[in-house]
Amino acid sequence: MAMAGFARRKGKLLSMNVTNYCSLESLRYSFSLTSFSRRFSSGSEENDVVIIGGGPGGYVAAIKAAQLGLKTTCIEKRGALGGTCLNVGCIPSKALLHSSHMYHEAKHAFANHGKNKVNYVKGYGKFISPSEVSVDTQEGGNTVVKGKNIIVATGSDVKSLPGITIDEKKIVSSTGALALSEIPKKLVVVGAGYIGLEMGSVWGRLGSEITVVEFGPDIVPTMDGEIRKQFQRSLEKRGMKFLLKTKVLGVDTSGNGVKLTLEPAAGGDQTVLEADVVLVSAGRTPFTAGLALEKIGVETDKAGRILVNERFVTNVPGVYAIGDVIPGPMLAHKAEEDGVACVEFIAGKVGHVDYDKVPGVVYTHPEVAYVGKTEEQVKALGIDYRVGKFPLLANSRAKAIDDAEGLVKIVADKETDKILGVHIMAPNAGELIHESAIALQYDASSEDIARVCHAHPTMSEAVKEAAMATYDKPIHI
């Protein structure tokens, strides 16, 4: 998968402070929105491609389709492109994570040292046939957009929990957590996945007492077990408390705060936990409501995901789906790759996305990033393997900036030395992981990485040293 296209796209955040953060109207991607023609398509015009949804998957698919010379229309109900990721998700949350980290550093550490032709229709689209989408526009009108190929790219929504009603005041989703008017004294996070731990880190740095309630036995279950244990210890060291194997039975918002009734997941005595604000982050669910998929016969699974083949085609010819509405990782960058590959197929080219090689990143501090298989997955497959590890404490750059918590871990096939998985806990792990993503894409060995000259002093040297530890021995421990 070529990374050049991704490198050319970047998000731009205007200056904003930590306490009055969410002026989301100021967020724009660096490509010019004026290049999107804002005229409405009439019913007599037929597009080559119509995309319902302007999030990371949808807008990237629209740009790629236009680049390939296809007449394209993108329909977006929000009135601002970028979807959840840009407007109330990935980009603002990462900016807030960075801002809160800088605030924390200033308070605790600094004393120790510083264009594309796409028709853009604003409105809510729904199918009236496999080749027609009716759009209720933001201006109050209606228009019909016709297309030879229609792509559903409507993304996902917050997953609700029984007995818990999100009001975005006392009980908030990740969207509401970005817009709290004041710092809660006690914040309870329901769900120990990516989003919950990231937002918990933000408010913990700003002074909130954070308690994470998780039904399962582990935080971030997709993470390598050894890395997960170190990661949890790191979060606990920063004051985050965890109640694992714990179920939320209900919430009471009648008083000034919130009272949660809890019990062990396996059953047992009930307890009450009090909070000022509760963040519900138990995952996300495909957003397909109101699209009238049933009207045209599009099949979905029990989880509400649209079923597609390897070319992203649904069971209805001419109707495609990408991103969070189909099986696979619910990640913005996966949706982008889906969008490019899907449009390439439509244009008669060949597209491909390998879901086993999509990197995942938890944007806390330190970050955790990984790609490929965990040690537990490799062991379950019965593969003979070797593990190489290198601690950040032995990395000169990490020590020089006094930020040396974490490690790099590589899992490789014992016989062939082929890299099976790479797991990094480090500052900027999300940047360090891509060398390994490329290595996995090309079936590289750990020796391949170890024999590449890495600049000194850099944190990426820890990846090289871990690779050396996998097939032979590291130098600096």
Side-chain angles (χ1 to χ4, degrees), residues 73-114:
T73 292
C74 182
I75 302 167
E76 168 56 46
K77 70 183 176 76
R78 193 187 299 267
L81 295 170
T84 295
C85 182
L86 173 64
N87 292 281
V88 291
C90 319
I91 304 302
S93 66
K94 274 50 172 185
L96 192 52
L97 279 160
H98 179 72
S99 298
S100 63
H101 177 60
M102 291 298 98
Y103 169 82
H104 182 83
E105 287 291 290
K107 187 175 181 180
H108 298 285
F110 286 178
N112 298 328
H113 280 188

Side-chain angles (χ1 to χ4, degrees), residues 19-53:
T19 58
N20 187 19
Y21 173 75
C22 287
S23 178
L24 296 178
E25 295 302 319
S26 67
L27 302 177
R28 293 292 185 270
Y29 270 89
S30 60
F31 67 81
S32 172
L33 293 189
T34 60
S35 67
F36 283 73
S37 172
R38 282 174 164 73
R39 59 187 175 83
F40 292 143
S41 298
S42 70
S44 62
E45 297 176 333
E46 184 176 44
N47 296 270
D48 295 309
V49 180
V50 175
I51 298 149
I52 307 175

